[in-house]
Amino acid sequence: MHSPALEGNLAQPVIRRLDALRQLSERGIALLQRAILEGLQRAGQGEDLANEGDPVDSVRIILSGWLCRFKTLEDGRRQITSFILPGDACDACVYLLSVMDHSIGTLTPVIYADIKRPVFERLLAADQSLAQAFWCETMVNSAIQREWTVNIGRRIALERVAHLLCEIHERLRPVGMIDGDSCAFPVTQIDLADATGLSVVHVNRTLQELRASRLITLRDRTLTIMDLRGLQNIALFTADYLHTKRCG
Amino acid sequence: MHSPALEGNLAQPVIRRLDALRQLSERGIALLQRAILEGLQRAGQGEDLANEGDPVDSVRIILSGWLCRFKTLEDGRRQITSFILPGDACDACVYLLSVMDHSIGTLTPVIYADIKRPVFERLLAADQSLAQAFWCETMVNSAIQREWTVNIGRRIALERVAHLLCEIHERLRPVGMIDGDSCAFPVTQIDLADATGLSVVHVNRTLQELRASRLITLRDRTLTIMDLRGLQNIALFTADYLHTKRCG
DNA sequence: CGGCGGCAATAACATGTGATAACGCGTGAA
DNA sequence: TTCACGCGTTATCACATGTTATTGCCGCCG
């Protein structure tokens, strides 16, 4: 962990992700890498990194592990509004709002960089390509959020779950977390239900159906997509909204 | 329309909205106002200002009228992902993504300013308070989008419709478009259905229920909220996510 | 070892919401 | 005037999804 080589590797997902959005300058990469290494933090599984109402004064960049953003209604109903994957920033710029309007919880142990607001702002000011990449990422997150609205609003359960799986698969690819047609999937059916707006029972039914159709395998926190094209068809999935190709 | 006085008034909602997010400098206001007046445009009701797949090369700022952002699935299912109200910018920065991943349609005749990307970028560079206000607005839009995810995913029909009405009411207030407890509401039940992820028929049922509970009146494109507190209670509505108070 | 808790899987049953269809009403065009 | 059309309203019926409950598995820990 404290050897330079390993630390260099740690920042890889972030750099790959940002560079895929906007080509980063050598200098930008170096600056980012240093800022990351100076802010290294860890969190265990099932921790809340932030809660609704908390003041925001830093940006978090996820190096490894999964998290989710969620909101809870007074009576306990919970909705996951997005998954945060390795390489993602926890909204480069929510700090503009000064108070969290949602919570962020970990689904696995997590390694992340906590970059204080002034440091982050200096970073953006110092390198234009970094600034643009981070804004780009923010915009892509908005696009994803819109697609979730569509997903939950207009797709039926089967399509809905399939769509979510497609999206995650597609997002994990550029950061190199797909192994063949499999990937880690540390999401319980409870989480899946909270993310899709369904009940746990119905998520279970739906997964059974996807399995029966020989589209996926999901066991021991590992997802295997046996028929990607088929899954995408069911989901009415197109990856356009992820803006994977370099934008702008 | 072409008298300076009237033109000054035109920009009022935008200035009020942005200034509410981040105090604008005198200079920023002047610059913004000029840019707006130089880009004045109109659109009729039921027009699409942009479609999925279109290239993006300008920012639109809405001076009067209502629009909605929406996506359509291959088989025609439609989901409205947000309403765009007077004073809103059509995402100050989607242009970072270069291609629209959704469409934008008008619900009423609309007056807006079309500001070309280079002009807009010069504007942001010229005045810090403007830049911050626009970024703030973008972040608030993200927050709204998250709340919509919660709304559609976890609230039942009655709460859902009530919540949407509360939100719109709350958003119209700072731009001065609320008259007593009434406001214009140029949204058909079809639109309402597409925004809430419900069927038209069920939206109708739900509105009847809200009327029967003496919470609202909705007739002739005019919404009157007779019991705001009651409506908010039903909707489990809290305005925090709108970040109305000056942020940052 | 035994008990406990988190998670997946199923069954039986309840209901919210969707689908379809029909009707009324107002407006605008021919 | 008459017709067409968009929108709201209502009724009936079907079904997707929610609710509640039970069971089993497995890892954890005293």
Side-chain angles (χ1 to χ4, degrees):
Chain A
M1 175 55 41
H2 288 292
S3 85
L6 276 179
E7 287 183 336
N9 284 340
L10 258 187
Q12 273 315 303
V14 190
I15 293 168
R16 286 174 71 161
R17 167 107 162 89
L18 290 177
D19 191 64
L21 291 173
R22 203 62 143 209
Q23 184 160 28
L24 298 180
S25 69
E26 290 298 328
R27 179 152 170 282
I29 294 180
L31 287 171
L32 176 60
Q33 213 150 17
R34 202 179 47 170
I36 287 176
L37 294 182
E38 284 171 359
L40 276 191
Q41 301 279 336
R42 286 157 179 287
Q45 170 177 11
E47 284 183 30
D48 283 357
L49 257 52
N51 277 297
E52 226 175 304
D54 286 357
V56 189
D57 60 346
S58 63
V59 174
R60 295 197 184 84
I61 299 182
I62 310 307
L63 307 177
S64 79
W66 289 38
L67 305 88
C68 66
R69 228 180 277 283
F70 65 93
K71 299 187 85 164
T72 310
L73 298 184
E74 307 160 24
D75 61 4
R77 278 175 284 178
R78 186 175 90 124
Q79 175 70 40
I80 293 181
T81 62
S82 66
F83 289 113
I84 305 176
L85 306 180
D88 285 353
C90 282
D91 277 345
C93 28
V94 253
Y95 65 74
L96 279 173
L97 297 180
S98 70
V99 171
M100 292 291 291
D101 55 60
H102 61 277
S103 306
I104 294 184
T106 63
L107 299 175
T108 67
V110 164
I111 305 177
Y112 65 98
D114 186 291
I115 304 183
K116 293 297 170 202
R117 176 174 169 160
V119 177
F120 187 71
E121 285 180 338
R122 256 181 275 130
L123 200 58
L124 297 197
D127 184 85
Q128 194 57 16
S129 72
L130 271 186
Q132 297 202 336
F134 274 113
W135 286 123
C136 244
E137 204 221 324
T138 303
M139 291 299 101
V140 171
N141 285 340
S142 294
I144 293 177
Q145 197 71 52
R146 276 190 293 270
E147 185 65 31
W148 277 49
T149 307
V150 178
N151 199 32
I152 299 177
R154 282 300 181 223
R155 271 186 268 254
I156 64 171
L158 188 69
E159 301 165 343
R160 215 184 284 184
V161 173
H163 191 278
L164 183 57
L165 300 183
C166 287
E167 175 183 305
I168 289 178
H169 180 85
E170 194 67 19
R171 285 174 60 193
L172 286 177
R173 199 143 46 83
V175 287
M177 318 239 8
I178 296 287
D179 173 22
D181 47 4
S182 297
C183 61
F185 195 80
V187 182
T188 67
Q189 294 187 4
I190 298 174
D191 298 326
L192 226 34
D194 286 341
T196 52
L198 298 166
S199 69
V200 195
V201 175
H202 203 61
V203 164
N204 187 287
R205 286 195 273 251
T206 306
L207 287 176
Q208 301 300 355
E209 198 174 339
L210 289 173
R211 286 194 262 249
S213 311
R214 319 205 118 274
L215 293 168
I216 65 163
T217 307
L218 178 53
R219 264 188 50 211
D220 303 328
R221 318 275 111 137
T222 300
L223 169 69
T224 305
I225 299 187
M226 305 161 73
D227 178 1
L228 180 57
R229 197 57 60 83
L231 194 64
Q232 293 176 336
N233 280 341
I234 282 201
L236 301 170
F237 178 86
T238 44
D240 302 350
Y241 72 98
L242 293 173
H243 298 270
T244 334
K245 285 140 272 168
R246 218 164 249 167
C247 51
Chain B
M1 172 56 38
H2 288 292
S3 85
L6 275 178
E7 287 183 335
N9 284 340
L10 257 187
Q12 274 315 302
V14 191
I15 293 168
R16 286 174 72 160
R17 167 107 161 90
L18 290 176
D19 191 64
L21 291 173
R22 202 65 143 209
Q23 184 158 30
L24 298 180
S25 69
E26 290 297 329
R27 179 152 168 283
I29 294 180
L31 286 171
L32 176 60
Q33 213 150 18
R34 203 180 46 172
I36 287 175
L37 294 182
E38 283 171 0
L40 276 191
Q41 301 279 337
R42 287 156 179 285
Q45 170 177 10
E47 285 182 29
D48 284 356
L49 258 51
N51 277 296
E52 225 175 306
D54 286 358
V56 189
D57 61 346
S58 64
V59 174
R60 296 198 184 82
I61 298 181
I62 310 307
L63 307 177
S64 81
W66 289 39
L67 305 87
C68 67
R69 230 179 276 283
F70 65 93
K71 298 185 85 165
T72 311
L73 299 183
E74 308 160 22
D75 60 5
R77 277 175 285 179
R78 187 175 91 125
Q79 176 69 40
I80 292 180
T81 61
S82 66
F83 289 113
I84 306 176
L85 307 180
D88 285 352
C90 281
D91 277 345
C93 31
V94 255
Y95 65 74
L96 279 173
L97 298 181
S98 68
V99 172
M100 292 292 289
D101 55 61
H102 60 278
S103 307
I104 295 182
T106 63
L107 299 174
T108 68
V110 163
I111 305 177
Y112 66 98
D114 186 291
I115 305 183
K116 293 298 170 199
R117 176 173 170 163
V119 177
F120 186 71
E121 285 178 340
R122 255 181 275 132
L123 200 59
L124 296 197
D127 185 83
Q128 194 58 14
S129 72
L130 271 185
Q132 297 202 337
F134 274 113
W135 286 123
C136 245
E137 204 222 323
T138 303
M139 292 298 101
V140 170
N141 285 340
S142 294
I144 294 177
Q145 197 71 52
R146 277 191 293 270
E147 185 65 31
W148 276 49
T149 306
V150 177
N151 199 33
I152 298 178
R154 282 299 181 223
R155 271 185 268 254
I156 63 171
L158 188 69
E159 301 167 343
R160 214 183 286 183
V161 173
H163 191 278
L164 181 58
L165 299 183
C166 287
E167 176 184 304
I168 289 177
H169 180 86
E170 194 67 19
R171 286 174 60 193
L172 286 177
R173 199 142 45 85
V175 288
M177 318 241 3
I178 296 286
D179 173 22
D181 47 3
S182 298
C183 60
F185 195 79
V187 182
T188 67
Q189 294 188 3
I190 298 175
D191 298 326
L192 225 35
D194 286 341
T196 52
L198 298 166
S199 68
V200 194
V201 174
H202 203 61
V203 164
N204 187 285
R205 286 195 273 250
T206 305
L207 287 176
Q208 302 299 355
E209 198 174 340
L210 289 174
R211 286 193 261 247
S213 309
R214 320 206 118 273
L215 293 167
I216 65 162
T217 307
L218 178 52
R219 263 188 52 210
D220 304 328
R221 318 277 112 137
T222 300
L223 169 69
T224 305
I225 299 188
M226 305 161 72
D227 178 1
L228 180 57
R229 197 57 59 84
L231 195 64
Q232 294 176 335
N233 280 341
I234 281 203
L236 301 169
F237 178 87
T238 45
D240 303 350
Y241 73 98
L242 293 173
H243 299 268
T244 334
K245 286 141 271 168
R246 219 165 250 167
C247 51

